Amino acid sequence: MNCPYCGILFSLDGVNADHSFPKFSSFHPYRRVPSKSDNTTTDDLAKKYSITSHRCPDCKKPIMWLNEIEGDLGAEERKIISTTLLFPKFPVKQIPIEIPEKFAVDFREAHDTLSVSAKASAALSRRCLQNLIREQEGITEKTLFSEVDKLIKSNKLPKHLAKDLDSIRQIGNFAAHPMKDTNTGEIVEVELGEAEWTLEVLETLLLFYFVEEPKSSARRDALNKKLKEYGKGPML
Ligand SMILES: [Zn+2]
């Protein structure tokens, strides 16, 4: 398991966790007197699920999982066949503080939406990508396709990043879906894996512009300053 807050990997065996079976009857938060039909404590559905709640062994924040179980209640061998995060609703995406809030908000939303709607997530990622290219590079064209093209041709990006960026257009099949290209933010069909890939490339670009490039620039400045002290011209 990975903690949805801090990301550390842990085993439930070493955690003080509470396990309980949910009830699909006999409970109503607003009904004080249970009806006859509510007397059942377990039913077929309850046998198939359990809820595990505990605190992260590292960051100590509360986590809740819904487990799907194979095997009848009371059977000797019952095993968990799938686990879904119940709380928090989504794993908390760690975003470096250097990334400006306006980009971080769209990126986080695209990340949180991915498991619910790939189409919505991809739309948010594309819009964020377009805003990033427009604001960071001052490139504004009629379509996202042309903006990406212009950015790649400017040779400002490291080769691997330019390649990744270009693949967004290919995987997304922009030619077949002009809405993606012209109205970024529009909810349209996505190709298999497109939402994940667009989000991944967007994250890499955000890190490049706001974390890696500024660090690298500061290193170059420091080196050139030293060279100047030794009476040499700048290296880069
Ligand atoms: Zn944690």
Side-chain angles (χ1 to χ4, degrees), residues 75-91:
E76 261 183 44
E77 275 212 25
R78 302 189 81 210
K79 62 175 180 184
I80 293 173
I81 50 174
S82 75
T83 297
T84 311
L85 182 66
L86 284 183
F87 183 84
K89 214 167 184 177
F90 303 106

Side-chain angles (χ1 to χ4, degrees), residues 98-141:
E98 291 91 338
I99 294 178
E101 195 55 19
K102 58 183 167 185
F103 295 117
V105 166
D106 271 356
F107 175 73
R108 187 174 284 117
E109 211 166 318
H111 173 270
D112 291 354
T113 321
L114 188 60
S115 59
V116 185
S117 166
K119 284 192 265 188
S121 171
L124 282 160
S125 291
R126 280 193 300 272
R127 190 181 71 180
C128 189
L129 176 66
Q130 185 165 59
N131 290 339
L132 181 69
I133 296 175
R134 289 183 171 180
E135 290 200 19
Q136 285 303 112
E137 297 294 352
I139 295 173
T140 303
E141 297 286 319

Side-chain angles (χ1 to χ4, degrees), residues 3-8 56-61 63:
C3 171
Y5 300 98
C6 67
I8 65 141
C56 166
D58 198 48
C59 70
K60 311 291 181 210
K61 288 182 177 161
I63 308 169

Side-chain angles (χ1 to χ4, degrees), residues 129-156:
L129 176 66
Q130 185 165 59
N131 290 339
L132 181 69
I133 296 175
R134 289 183 171 180
E135 290 200 19
Q136 285 303 112
E137 297 294 352
I139 295 173
T140 303
E141 297 286 319
K142 275 186 182 160
T143 64
L144 178 60
F145 189 98
S146 314
E147 287 165 347
V148 166
D149 193 50
K150 210 167 176 184
L151 174 56
I152 292 170
K153 283 181 178 156
S154 73
N155 287 324
K156 284 183 176 175

Side-chain angles (χ1 to χ4, degrees), residues 37 48 50 54 68-70 74 76 85 95 122 128 133 141-142 157 164 171 176 187 189-191 205 226:
S37 62
K48 291 176 185 165
S50 74
H54 63 94
E68 193 181 350
I69 301 167
E70 198 177 61
E76 261 183 44
L85 182 66
I95 300 175
C128 189
I133 296 175
E141 297 286 319
K142 275 186 182 160
L157 296 177
D164 287 351
I171 291 174
I187 310 288
E189 290 301 323
V190 285
E191 306 293 323
L205 277 171
K226 268 191 181 167

Side-chain angles (χ1 to χ4, degrees), residues 13 37 57 94 182 208 225-226:
D13 295 338
S37 62
Q94 305 294 335
T182 48
F208 170 74
K225 204 176 157 194
K226 268 191 181 167

Side-chain angles (χ1 to χ4, degrees), residues 167-227:
S167 62
I168 285 182
R169 300 186 299 185
Q170 289 159 24
I171 291 174
N173 201 358
F174 275 26
H177 302 285
M179 292 283 272
K180 277 183 201 172
D181 195 14
T182 48
N183 295 320
T184 57
E186 198 80 27
I187 310 288
V188 289
E189 290 301 323
V190 285
E191 306 293 323
L192 191 68
E194 179 187 352
E196 291 86 344
W197 182 242
T198 310
L199 190 66
E200 222 169 286
V201 174
L202 175 64
E203 182 174 17
T204 319
L205 277 171
L206 287 169
L207 290 174
F208 170 74
Y209 277 113
F210 300 111
V211 182
E212 290 157 15
E213 217 342 81
K215 265 188 198 164
S216 162
S217 173
R219 271 198 303 270
R220 283 196 302 271
D221 287 349
L223 174 66
N224 285 332
K225 204 176 157 194
K226 268 191 181 167
L227 288 172

